[in-house]
Amino acid sequence: MRSAARRVGNFARDTFPVDGAGPRLSHWPVTSLAQNAVESAVVSDLRRATGRFRQSKRLTGLIRALGKGNTRFAELWSSGAVGAHREDHKIVDHPVVGPIAVDCDVMTEGDAERKIVILSTAPDTEDETRFRLALLSGASG
C-alpha cells in the first residue's frame, strides 16, 4: 500500500474516497454542481490510461482499490461510463470569506494528457471579491 504522502494530489482518490478518506486536494470544502459528469470523466480518464499504460502496476492498483472501496466508482467502471472533463461549476466554502462560486475549466496538454485546472469567477461580482480575499488570506485561512 502506498503511503498517504504518495496519494496527495490524486484527483481520482478525491472524487471516489475509500475507507472514509476525505479530500486531499482542496484546503476547504468544495461542492461540484455537475458531480455526475465529473465522476464519469474521471472514470473515462482512467479507462483511457489503462489502454495507454497497460503494464502500470500503480494504475492497476489504483483502479482495484477504487473498485473495491467505492461503490460509485465500481458502478461507473462496470458500466463502461465515458465522459470528458472539460468544465465544472463549483462552490468553494472558504472558512473566512464564505462560499465562492467558481468556474472550473480543464485544459488537457496533448499526448501526455496532463490536465491543467483553471479556477475563475465572473468579473465584478461578489464571488470575484471573495476569491481575491481568499487568495490574500492564504491557505490556512
Side-chain angles (χ1 to χ4, degrees):
M1 190 79 183
R2 302 268 180 217
S3 70
R6 294 278 298 177
R7 287 183 275 154
V8 172
N10 186 309
F11 191 74
R13 286 188 186 276
D14 265 21
T15 304
F16 300 102
V18 173
D19 297 330
R24 298 174 188 263
L25 291 176
S26 60
H27 294 286
W28 315 291
V30 176
T31 303
S32 171
L33 301 182
Q35 189 63 30
N36 288 337
V38 170
E39 290 171 351
S40 291
V42 170
V43 170
S44 179
D45 284 347
L46 289 173
R47 191 175 303 287
R48 268 195 315 277
T50 60
R52 241 180 124 189
F53 305 104
R54 296 179 195 277
Q55 303 303 316
S56 174
K57 291 180 182 178
R58 185 171 160 206
L59 178 60
T60 303
L62 172 65
I63 292 167
R64 187 178 310 116
L66 294 178
K68 287 181 180 178
N70 187 287
T71 306
R72 177 69 174 147
F73 178 86
E75 173 186 299
L76 289 170
W77 187 263
S78 67
S79 75
V82 177
H85 196 183
R86 302 277 184 253
E87 65 181 16
D88 192 5
H89 304 284
K90 297 179 184 283
I91 305 295
V92 177
D93 190 13
H94 191 276
V96 175
V97 301
I100 308 165
V102 297
D103 290 325
C104 177
D105 296 299
V106 180
M107 298 171 50
T108 303
E109 185 271 316
D111 291 337
E113 293 202 30
R114 288 187 186 99
K115 301 207 182 295
I116 300 167
V117 179
I118 301 168
L119 298 178
S120 61
T121 58
D124 302 322
T125 63
E126 189 173 326
D127 288 314
E128 180 186 36
T129 302
R130 286 183 180 165
F131 190 69
R132 289 179 184 273
L133 288 172
L135 293 172
L136 290 172
S137 73
S140 62

